[in-house]
Amino acid sequence: MADTSRRALRLLSLLATRRSWSLGALAARLEVSERTVRRDIETLRSLDYPVVTLRGPAGGYRLGAGHTLPPLRFDEDQALAVAVALQTAPTTVSGLAADTERALEALEQVMPVRLRAAVEALRLTSLQNYWEFPAQPIEASALQAAGSAVRRHEILVVEILGPDGTRTEPGTAEFAPARRIEPHHLVVWAGRWYLVGYDHADVAWRVHRLDRLHLHSPTGIRFTPRELPGGDLAGLVMRTHDRGDTPAAWECTGSARLNLPAETVARWAPGGSVVEHLDSDHCRLTVGAWSWAGVAGLLATFDTDLAEVEPPELVDACRRLVRRWQAVAGNAEPAAHP
């Protein structure tokens, strides 16, 4: 009976995807006999789904007008996938924020309580930025564990991983002991996932890259949510300098202060860059390339004034490029004016 029900639901979804299907095409897609397809069609009709029989040489079946799909059934992995896909879609395709929010709410209404809780655990805060080169994908288990801790207000025990994603060994200079965090928000910014919480070890609010954390087993210890400093979640994430972002490994890495807001630079900065919020109109961009001239060229793609350029090798490269471009401009013929 369970197999019959699953097959009938799949048949219904096939009929809803196109205007008509031949009997042979449906049997092939469902990997059953044509007789079984006929029997499943009668099952759908008994449930008041208007499956219309098309007569003639090109006959077949189609779903009639006025049909409605049954409540969707998801397992936990599917619920997680839907929640993440709907909430991260606006960061890659503009204009979908309102539609995806409505779609997520509609899906939650037809989910059992247990699965609705799993989706609610992944209610993310998107800062509506775009990133051409996002970080590596987050493990679904880590995302679900962090989201559940946020929703349940449960303390997390975490270890901060190295830039290469490995755990540091006790006795090494890089080793840092596990710490207890009160997780308050999951945030998507610049194509990366961040956990915003209150760190007991530092007695302060911290923003951590989720892919740079090793999450221990759930503690079950509840906490009372605190007031976010200034009430500005987006500002807290962008102003935090030690989010765990590190530039990619390049032959040359340099930085400069740009007269542009962090959210603008984050949209166009290449992968492996670090964008540091300074104020509403300025940020610091750290970027790498195979040469100092390459770093200077990347900085020049942002059509704005630069300041506090570091290190000295990058400054020298900028001077060399200036001389080269001056030579090009001096040898160029004046543009003809109509």
Side-chain angles (χ1 to χ4, degrees):
M1 181 62 70
D3 289 340
T4 301
S5 299
R6 282 193 294 268
R7 195 174 59 246
L9 285 173
R10 188 180 175 200
L11 172 60
L12 182 58
S13 68
L14 290 174
L15 292 170
T17 59
R18 55 189 281 185
R19 187 170 184 83
S20 62
W21 288 84
S22 69
L23 179 61
L26 288 173
R29 288 295 296 270
L30 296 172
E31 298 181 343
V32 295
S33 67
E34 294 185 357
R35 180 180 179 182
T36 299
V37 173
R38 290 193 185 95
R39 190 163 56 241
D40 289 343
I41 286 174
E42 292 306 316
T43 298
L44 291 179
R45 286 171 173 165
S46 69
L47 296 172
D48 295 328
Y49 287 99
V51 182
V52 178
T53 301
L54 305 176
R55 306 296 180 183
Y61 299 93
R62 65 176 174 83
L63 203 56
H67 67 279
T68 57
L69 290 177
L72 300 178
R73 303 179 67 86
F74 294 104
D75 58 29
E76 292 191 16
D77 291 338
Q78 290 172 321
L80 173 65
V82 170
V84 172
L86 286 174
Q87 294 181 83
T88 56
T91 67
T92 56
V93 181
S94 61
L96 292 183
D99 293 333
T100 53
E101 179 66 21
R102 289 190 298 106
L104 186 59
E105 291 177 355
L107 285 171
E108 288 178 353
Q109 294 304 312
V110 298
M111 288 181 179
V113 174
R114 178 176 57 83
L115 294 186
R116 190 180 307 142
V119 172
E120 281 293 336
L122 291 172
R123 279 288 186 171
L124 310 174
T125 303
S126 176
L127 303 192
Q128 298 302 313
N129 286 297
Y130 302 81
W131 191 270
E132 297 298 323
F133 304 93
Q136 291 297 315
I138 299 293
E139 289 291 337
S141 57
L143 190 61
Q144 192 167 28
S148 295
V150 170
R151 181 177 63 86
R152 297 174 180 275
H153 308 308
E154 290 184 353
I155 289 176
L156 276 175
V157 176
V158 306
E159 292 177 44
I160 299 177
L161 303 176
D164 60 354
T166 59
R167 298 171 69 178
T168 56
E169 295 294 332
T172 62
E174 298 80 14
F175 176 73
R179 54 183 60 207
R180 294 157 64 93
I181 294 177
E182 298 175 6
H184 283 69
H185 301 277
L186 272 178
V187 175
V188 179
W189 183 59
R192 293 171 176 170
W193 301 71
Y194 296 93
L195 180 67
V196 179
Y198 188 83
D199 193 309
H200 286 192
D202 295 338
V203 194
W205 285 84
R206 290 286 180 257
V207 180
H208 294 286
R209 280 263 300 270
L210 191 56
D211 61 325
R212 300 284 171 80
L213 294 179
H214 171 73
L215 307 182
H216 287 222
S217 300
T219 64
I221 302 173
R222 299 297 181 93
F223 65 88
T224 301
R226 303 171 188 260
E227 289 293 329
L228 191 71
D232 182 5
L233 180 59
L236 176 63
V237 173
M238 289 190 292
R239 286 193 303 270
T240 299
H241 301 163
D242 54 350
R243 294 184 297 260
D245 296 330
T246 57
W250 288 98
E251 292 293 327
C252 305
T253 302
S255 66
R257 175 188 173 101
L258 279 63
N259 290 358
L260 288 171
E263 55 267 31
T264 300
V265 174
R267 178 175 180 178
W268 304 112
S273 303
V274 175
V275 181
E276 177 185 340
H277 172 90
L278 299 178
D279 57 43
S280 59
D281 298 315
H282 301 85
C283 69
R284 172 167 289 278
L285 173 62
T286 301
V287 64
W290 64 274
S291 69
W292 290 114
V295 176
L298 289 171
L299 292 173
T301 61
F302 294 91
D303 191 10
T304 185
D305 293 336
L306 305 177
E308 302 174 14
V309 178
E310 298 175 350
E313 293 86 347
L314 178 57
V315 177
D316 290 340
C318 291
R319 293 194 183 102
R320 291 195 300 272
L321 286 177
V322 168
R323 290 194 295 269
R324 291 171 187 168
W325 289 118
Q326 284 177 336
V328 172
N331 295 331
E333 296 182 1
H337 295 284

